[in-house]
Amino acid sequence: MIPGARSGWRQARWSEPLVYELGSPDNSGFIRPYSDEDAELERVLGATPEEKLGRMLRDRVPEIPGLSEIEVVRHFTRLSQMSYGVDVGPVPLGSCTMKYNPKISEDIARDPRIRYLHPYQDPDTVQGLLEMLYLLERWLAELTGMDRCSLQTPAGAAGELAGALMIRKYFMDRGEDRDEMLIPDSAHGTNPASAAMAGFKVVRIPTSENGTVDMEALDAALSERTAGIMLTNPNTLGIFEDQILEIADKLHSIGALLYYDGANLNGIMGIVRPGDMGFDIIHLNLHKTFGAPHGGGGPGAGVVCARGELVDYLPRPLIAKKGDRYYWDYECEKCIGRIRMFYGNIAPLVKAFIYIAMLGGEGLREAAIQSVINTNYFIALMGGVDGYELPYDPERPRKHELVLSAKPLKQETGVTAEDIAKALLDRGLHAPTIYFPLIVDEALMIEFTESEPRRQIEEYAVALQEIAREARRNPSALKQLPKNTSIGRLDNVYANHPRSVTPTFRVLRRRLQGEQLSL
């Protein structure tokens, strides 16, 4: 056991200005092409800039701060030292699956032969990349028990919206007026939003005392208006819906469909397939399950897959092969069209291909098993720790994640889940997802993934135990944390108020000039 968690940890704290404040357009730095060669520019353009660009010609120079290369390097290095990511320590954000991102995937995805490809490039010049995407699509279909996958959707929520739109169009084509989507209250928050955006009324299904779908409530909600159910399995409590086959039978018996939210696939990949559970449409978060950076680290990829006649409704184009040639198939008689331009976010698709190719089927299965072992080892470490409890059938093993409740600690000391999260940050440990799912009071949603070693998991458990003890000794001190991070505790109201949220430097500058902006 770790004797103490991260004692003496300090995050870098630079008084670093914005890059616009650090430099000035009047200083030397970036030199615009042909900025002092008017004649040469006219020769290249074959006309004056005014003739060539008309109203698009800028009337002032770009406000690019003039900085030397070393100044730029130092600025961003200092910022990186005030950042925290999975390369610094664990990021156990529940349902986010922040696992280690293999460096070989980053290296290959940055290969100029991939990085500089243009979406309008002749497919015959990128047959290697298309073969890679074709194999990835086949592997994902096999892994999930689906027939075909569209690589087009750029993120998980976009995949949900695509799936909901597919369900809506499917019933429109059948002439059926179904406008209700069932969503368990343990679902990800984006599920009801996606269903509503697709035009469905959201029908909430409560969670039973066992942490799974309440079957009586499900029966009561089913009707001829039911279009489908959006479900994640394992659910956000980390509990496997063991009545999923019965749920599928109930939905299919009235002609409704099952949509699988693949955000939690990490705990079951290679072990059980959504298609075999009865799901008709799924999305996968490649940037979670298959080791590509996400959040601030890179774009997502929310691949959507379907089976049977629902394949016709997948976003186009689909990757296809004829003879020895790979190509994009744009045929679309019933499909919902595109979710975004072009073919999806290629870089995370390449990284997912590398991840799967390196691990193989057995490796993926082992990763899932290890993620479950890590979760349940942590539960064992936290068993009996005063201040925390595991709601919903605590004796039942969890899969990829768990949700602790700090409600007992709050009732005893006034220290909340947010205070605990800040205290973890103060120790150099990333906070878990807090206050989600909404069905758990003072929720701490924790997912270590298969990446984290035993020592790291033990350190996290020790930190939570230390925080509980500190809460009893001096609760007010915890409410002042964090102090060891680059930024201390924020005023949540001020930080989120439309009059203080500042998304760009231009907004900041206008505020500094006295404008009262409210976003």
Side-chain angles (χ1 to χ4, degrees), residues 58 88 127 149 194 226 253 284 484:
R58 299 182 65 109
V88 176
Q127 284 294 294
C149 300
S194 299
T226 304
S253 68
L284 300 173
N484 294 323

Side-chain angles (χ1 to χ4, degrees), residues 243-256:
Q243 292 179 290
I244 184 59
L245 295 179
E246 186 178 346
I247 293 173
D249 287 343
K250 289 178 182 291
L251 270 291
H252 287 155
S253 68
I254 62 168

Side-chain angles (χ1 to χ4, degrees), residues 276-392:
D276 297 334
M277 298 182 214
F279 287 95
D280 303 291
I281 305 172
I282 72 166
H283 89 260
L284 300 173
N285 301 74
L286 299 191
H287 49 283
K288 294 182 180 182
T289 314
F290 301 103
H294 55 114
V303 171
V304 181
C305 308
R307 63 178 183 173
E309 59 185 318
L310 290 162
V311 168
D312 294 340
Y313 295 86
L314 283 170
R316 269 20 180 208
L318 300 180
I319 188 70
K321 180 183 181 184
K322 187 174 184 179
D324 294 330
R325 183 175 181 273
Y326 300 92
Y327 65 101
W328 292 109
D329 180 4
Y330 289 88
E331 185 177 345
C332 176
E333 293 184 5
K334 298 181 179 179
C335 79
I336 61 169
R338 295 185 177 195
I339 291 295
R340 57 156 293 163
M341 287 294 290
F342 301 120
Y343 322 111
N345 287 330
I346 297 299
L349 296 176
V350 170
K351 293 172 188 176
F353 172 86
I354 297 164
Y355 185 86
I356 297 174
M358 287 194 303
L359 287 179
E362 284 301 318
L364 292 176
R365 179 184 176 89
E366 186 177 343
I369 292 172
Q370 188 59 52
S371 74
V372 174
I373 290 173
N374 283 354
T375 296
N376 288 281
Y377 179 55
F378 179 74
I379 291 173
L381 292 174
M382 293 300 296
V385 176
D386 289 340
Y388 306 98
E389 63 183 9
L390 185 66
Y392 295 103

Side-chain angles (χ1 to χ4, degrees), residues 191-212:
N191 286 178
S194 299
M197 288 177 68
F200 291 109
K201 299 173 185 174
V202 175
V203 179
R204 171 180 169 272
I205 305 297
T207 297
S208 72
E209 61 182 11
N210 296 321
T212 53

Side-chain angles (χ1 to χ4, degrees), residues 9 50 66 76 105 107 181 238 247 301 303 328 355 417 501:
W9 179 84
E50 291 79 4
F76 285 104
S105 303
D107 190 43
M181 185 67 75
I247 293 173
V303 171
W328 292 109
Y355 185 86
V501 170

